[in-house]
Amino acid sequence: MMRLLGFLTALLAQAGPALAVAGLQNVTPIADRVSGLYDLIFWITFTIFVGVWAALAYVLIRFRHRPDREAQQFHGHAVLELIWTVLPVLALIAIAIPTYQTLRYMQNTPPSDLTVQVIGHQWYWEYQYPDEQITLSNADLVIPSNRIVKVLVQSVDVVHSWAVPEFGFKLDAVPGHINEGWVYAKHPGVFDGYCMQLCGTLHAKMLTRVRVLEPAAFQAWLQQQHPGKKANVIP
Amino acid sequence: MAIPASAHPQDRATLEWVRWLTTTDHKRIGILYLATGFLLFLVGGLFALFIRAQLIRPENTLLTPDQYNQFVTMHATSMIFMAIIPMLIGVANYMVPLLIGARDVAFPRINAISYWLLPFGALMMFSSFLIDGASANGWTQYPPLSGGFFSPGRGVDFWIFGLHLLGLSSIMGGVNFLVTILNMRAPGMTLHRMPLFCWTVLVTSWLQVIATPVLAGVLTMLLFDRNFGTSFFRPEQGGDPLLWQHLFWFYSHPAVYIMIVPAFGIISEVLPVFAGKPIFGYLAVAYSSVAIGILGFFVWAHHMFATPLPASVRTFFMFVTMLIAVPTGVKVFSWVATLWGGNIRFTTASLFAIAFVAFFLIGGLSGIFLASVPVDIHLTHTYFVVAHIHYVLFAGSILAIFAALFYWFPKMTGRMLDERLGKIHFWLTIVSMNVTFFPMHVLGIMGMPRRYYTYPAQFTGLNTMESIASFVLGAAQLMLVYNVFASLRKGEKAPDDPWQGNTLEWTISSPPPPHNFDEIPVVK
């Protein structure tokens, strides 16, 4: 079942330049699935849009006012009304099933190789690597590619939101809560992050970046953070 | 019970302007709501123009970051509570008693109080600019940002007081219309013979009565947290910011239905008249409003999908949110079918109604993207949501209000609005509206966040285009203002029934006599 779903999602993802159209890459499998879902929804809604506009264009031309025309005085049509109630329900079910599967995939953090705490402040992001005892303040987050990274989003003051569009990732940082998600970057690169919840005057300046390094390079980076101390090896 | 010849005893005052200020006549109250609401729509629009001017290029210095956040907050607050809802209530006030064959609403004095809470609520809100600045936390006012520590000025408190007044207006109005519609329909007018606009006002009134008290409650909780040492929303004292979000959205989601359902009703009145045939699927259209009114209470957390919510909660809200698309779709298809086989006259009123169907559709469809949680995670808090909002509220509610204006202005004033000016206003509005708001979908997919006073360079091109289009959109509304004033003075005189309508208001003079109907009609 999961394999079938994976296949369908991959199929859709290939048709899916949704994020690519926007100039963004899909860096994580979650982003791939979001892209695929987006495309599914796009095609269904686009079909409805074209259908309604075509019908409107037709009626506005075909039935425009003529002095000799009589408007047809019908009140309804049970079968037609049934069809246009049932078909949307079916379309929504077609969207709901892969949506639900993707939601479960996103919400169940797989066993992780690394844990990162993302802490929102007015107006910068702080990153902590609890197992490595590293704290980065107002700097890029550095993570390894091809590893499961558990991300714990928190805040010390107001509600913020940590988002990296190319990861398909966004979680609100609510004081008093820990909001858990996970990231698996398929390849290295540098990716833009934003604060996405109005958090005060400099909300627009809480930009951040994630640098994804090959695992070996990441290991070297870890070592650099604690010169003289042997860093934990990330499996 | 004998109905007195003049239903409005206060009309004994000698000065006309005093009669206006003390009126309990639903028709005059309706006009007061419409005029005040339209003025505040222009004020809200001015905030928007400043926002767009600031965003015409990155790192612009027209507004400071704090001013920008104040304008964003007050733009939304004005438009929702002081423009769209009041204008729709204004239409309801004027038309519902006429449509059901009544002489006034059930409680005319409470109706007057409901109106007067609007200008005073607005004054309360805007006075914050003169004190130490308006609230700058977005109309959603999430704590802790809106709490006493992070928003130490008086702006939030004035916002809360102002909204308490406006909310009270809403609750009283809701009760008034519920009683009026359920009890004062003309003999023979069963619910299934009632005009669809009245159905929508019935559902809207239900929403107002049930949801608004929750807003009043949560506003009071914030007021207390800010001023009396409580900690409903303060995590360091055992409170929870999410509690605000749940309670706020419990009201604010039905609030969006308060803003759109009467608009649906307007379209259901206007389209059949200009198509020359009855509404298609009357019962489905009527009961789809009821369905929206019920389901609308079970979707609030779709505004919170990025917050720490249990998986099961997200799933529940996602399914119900998707479900709401069904009754909405039924309406859209029914409206198209209403036009089918008709003899369609293109007047400014019918053009706005047709444009509503075409463009509200986009807003409805973008909502489906936002209903799917994984996609919403990517799109929430971005300009995609801003696009969605403006398609349902501008291309939706505002276009419907314009349609109502052009349709019922002759009845209310005895004069026709100028059709040539109206059509120019229509086309300018439609084109500039789409150029302003459609690209926001793309910006959102690209990841541009909301409520940003500046933005990274890659978002520049679309922002500049939207800003220029928004200036055209703003300027176009001045044409409507001119049309209204010029027509009031020298517009063509309107007959009782300029459009060949089918509802009771067209059986009386334009404008109607104070007591509406010489004899209460009997509906067969």
Side-chain angles (χ1 to χ4, degrees), chain B residues 32-33 35-44 47 74 77-84 86 113-131 134-135 155 157-169:
Chain B
L32 286 171
Y33 264 114
T36 313
F38 192 78
L39 179 66
L40 292 166
F41 170 67
L42 295 177
V43 169
F47 286 126
M74 294 313 291
T77 304
S78 311
M79 287 304 196
I80 293 168
F81 297 105
M82 299 185 253
I84 293 180
I113 298 172
S114 296
Y115 165 71
W116 282 104
L117 286 169
L118 170 64
F120 284 106
L123 271 173
M124 177 77 80
M125 288 255 192
F126 292 125
S127 61
S128 56
F129 278 111
L130 300 173
I131 299 180
S135 166
D157 302 292
F158 273 87
W159 191 88
I160 290 173
F161 283 128
L163 201 50
H164 268 143
L165 294 177
L166 297 169
L168 194 57
S169 167

Side-chain angles (χ1 to χ4, degrees), chain A residues 63 65 72 75 107 170 205, chain B residues 59 281 314 341 344 377 380:
Chain A
F63 297 109
H65 178 76
Q72 301 166 33
H75 290 261
Q107 286 179 153
K170 180 181 294 134
K205 290 299 190 178
Chain B
E59 302 297 341
R314 282 206 182 109
I344 304 168
I377 292 288
T380 193

Side-chain angles (χ1 to χ4, degrees), chain A residues 119-132:
Chain A
I119 302 165
H121 296 255
Q122 282 183 321
W123 287 285
Y124 63 94
W125 293 102
E126 178 191 338
Y127 301 116
Q128 289 184 9
Y129 300 70
D131 301 326
E132 287 70 31

Side-chain angles (χ1 to χ4, degrees), chain B residues 322-339:
Chain B
M322 288 188 172
L323 203 53
I324 266 202
V326 179
T328 316
V330 164
K331 286 180 191 288
V332 171
F333 303 140
S334 298
W335 288 321
V336 177
T338 301
L339 293 170

Side-chain angles (χ1 to χ4, degrees), chain B residues 266-319:
Chain B
I266 291 167
I267 303 308
S268 295
E269 294 299 332
V270 174
L271 280 182
V273 168
F274 293 101
K277 52 193 283 282
I279 186 82
F280 184 96
Y282 170 92
L283 282 179
V285 176
Y287 283 101
S288 60
S289 302
V290 174
I292 291 170
I294 295 171
L295 288 174
F297 278 104
F298 295 100
V299 299
W300 79 85
H302 69 223
H303 299 269
M304 296 168 60
F305 281 151
T307 63
L309 285 178
S312 51
V313 172
R314 282 206 182 109
T315 309
F316 170 80
F317 281 101
M318 178 181 79
F319 285 135

Side-chain angles (χ1 to χ4, degrees), chain B residues 339-417:
Chain B
L339 293 170
W340 194 288
N343 194 11
I344 304 168
R345 289 175 285 153
F346 294 112
T347 60
T348 311
S350 69
L351 283 172
F352 273 117
I354 293 164
F356 175 99
V357 179
F359 295 109
F360 167 78
L361 177 68
I362 297 176
L365 293 175
S366 63
I368 296 178
F369 290 84
L370 296 170
S372 166
V373 175
V375 179
D376 181 82
I377 292 288
H378 181 69
L379 297 174
T380 193
H381 305 326
T382 70
Y383 261 77
F384 192 93
V385 180
V386 181
H388 168 71
I389 293 170
H390 286 90
Y391 267 91
V392 291
L393 289 178
F394 201 122
S397 306
I398 294 293
L399 290 191
I401 289 168
F402 289 166
L405 187 63
F406 278 87
Y407 183 57
W408 277 312
F409 185 91
K411 178 56 54 185
M412 295 194 273
T413 64
R415 302 231 182 224
M416 307 297 288
L417 279 168

